[in-house]
């Protein structure tokens, strides 16, 4: 699996958009980009995933660059409950283990 | 629809003992993966079970073993516990032929004294 690079921490004001970057320069053509988050002491929660195209669901949007070497997770209106560690993972998906890395600690402030 | 359930939630063992952790996957899921998360670190892959067989394994010693039952539930066994085995153990379930999302339980917190 390709490994990812994320900033260790980010701050965001409540109500503003949170944009979390991820570099995955060694991603292969059939690997997906997955985003998970982990609120303190809870199990990781699936957010969104994509292959090439941008994706949006009720939680977030995922923007993948055309060369697929980086992506951005966007939380459109961050709330205090979005304070968590966010993990960017690249993986083949099925049959494959996930390498989580250290993630980005997002602090949403009032 | 019940999600992934794990038991016990917390347990304390002493060095050299053995522990068994249990996991029931999300309804309809057939694949179970186990992860170890040390304090302050991201989860690390231990192994994955499908059709009652270990399909993939991470960089963990043979002291870590598992089992999957016909109803897709799973157990993680750790023998000869070391202090360094203290961690949150996470179970994740998925569909073998789905789109790869993992659904995690809340974990079992193991403390080795």
């Amino acid at each position: 699996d390709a490994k990812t690079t994320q900033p260790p921490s980010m701050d965001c004001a409540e109500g503003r958009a949170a944009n979390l970057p991820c570099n995955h320069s060694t991603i292969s053509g059939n690997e997906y980009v997955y985003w998970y988050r982990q609120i303190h002491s809870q199990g990781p929660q699936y957010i969104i995933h994509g292959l090439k195209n941008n994706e949006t669901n009720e939680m977030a949007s995922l923007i993948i660059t055309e060369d697929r070497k980086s992506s951005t997770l966007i939380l459109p209106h961050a709330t205090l409950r979005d304070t968590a560690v966010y993990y960017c993972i690249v993986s083949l998906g099925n049959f494959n283990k996930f390498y989580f890395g250290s993630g980005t600690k997002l602090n949403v402030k009032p | 629809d019940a999600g992934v359930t794990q038991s016990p939630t917390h347990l304390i063992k002493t060095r050299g003992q053995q522990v068994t952790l249990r996991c029931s996957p999300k309804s309809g899921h057939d694949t179970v993966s186990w992860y170890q998360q040390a304090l302050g670190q991201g989860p690390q892959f231990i192994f994955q079970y499908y059709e009652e067989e270990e399909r993939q394994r991470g960089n963990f010693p043979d002291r870590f073993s598992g089992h999957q039952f016909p109803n897709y539930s799973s157990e993680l066994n750790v023998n000869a516990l070391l202090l360094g085995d203290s961690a949150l153990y996470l179970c994740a379930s998925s569909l073998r032929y789905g789109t790869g999302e993992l659904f995690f339980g809340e974990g079992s917190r193991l403390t080795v004294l």
Side-chain angles (χ1 to χ4, degrees), chain A:
Chain A
D1 285 349
K3 292 190 178 177
T4 61
T5 303
Q6 299 178 254
S9 66
M10 294 182 64
D11 291 337
C12 178
E14 190 176 19
R16 304 297 294 269
N19 296 279
L20 291 92
C22 179
N23 286 320
H24 31 80
S25 58
T26 59
I27 191 171
S28 64
N30 53 354
E31 286 183 312
Y32 290 81
V33 179
Y34 293 84
W35 282 85
Y36 282 77
R37 72 180 182 184
Q38 189 172 25
I39 297 170
H40 183 62
S41 296
Q42 297 181 18
Q45 177 190 22
Y46 167 80
I47 302 173
I48 198 168
H49 76 284
L51 183 62
K52 297 180 184 178
N53 301 320
N54 298 338
E55 302 287 345
T56 295
N57 64 19
E58 64 278 4
M59 288 183 68
S61 295
L62 173 60
I63 309 297
I64 302 174
T65 58
E66 191 169 346
D67 63 8
R68 303 209 327 122
K69 293 185 176 182
S70 65
S71 61
T72 300
L73 178 74
I74 301 173
L75 307 179
H77 305 286
T79 71
L80 297 178
R81 287 175 294 184
D82 292 322
T83 292
V85 177
Y86 287 76
Y87 296 99
C88 169
I89 302 160
V90 292
S91 173
L92 293 171
N94 284 325
F95 320 128
N96 227 277
K97 58 193 178 190
F98 279 15
Y99 177 77
F100 274 81
S102 300
T104 295
K105 177 67 165 56
L106 176 67
N107 299 300
V108 180
K109 301 185 175 182

Side-chain angles (χ1 to χ4, degrees), chain B residues 52-109:
Chain B
E52 303 178 47
E53 291 189 14
E54 184 183 295
R55 300 292 177 167
Q56 292 198 79
R57 190 179 182 90
N59 188 26
F60 279 80
D62 291 345
R63 297 187 297 110
F64 289 77
S65 63
H67 190 79
Q68 186 181 33
F69 300 93
N71 67 353
Y72 307 122
S73 67
S74 177
E75 288 182 350
L76 164 66
N77 301 294
V78 187
N79 295 323
L81 285 167
L82 304 173
L83 296 179
D85 294 331
S86 295
L88 180 67
Y89 289 85
L90 295 160
C91 171
S93 73
S94 58
L95 273 172
R96 189 63 167 172
Y97 296 101
T99 52
E101 302 103 283
L102 295 179
F103 290 81
F104 283 84
E106 295 304 314
S108 295
R109 172 76 62 186

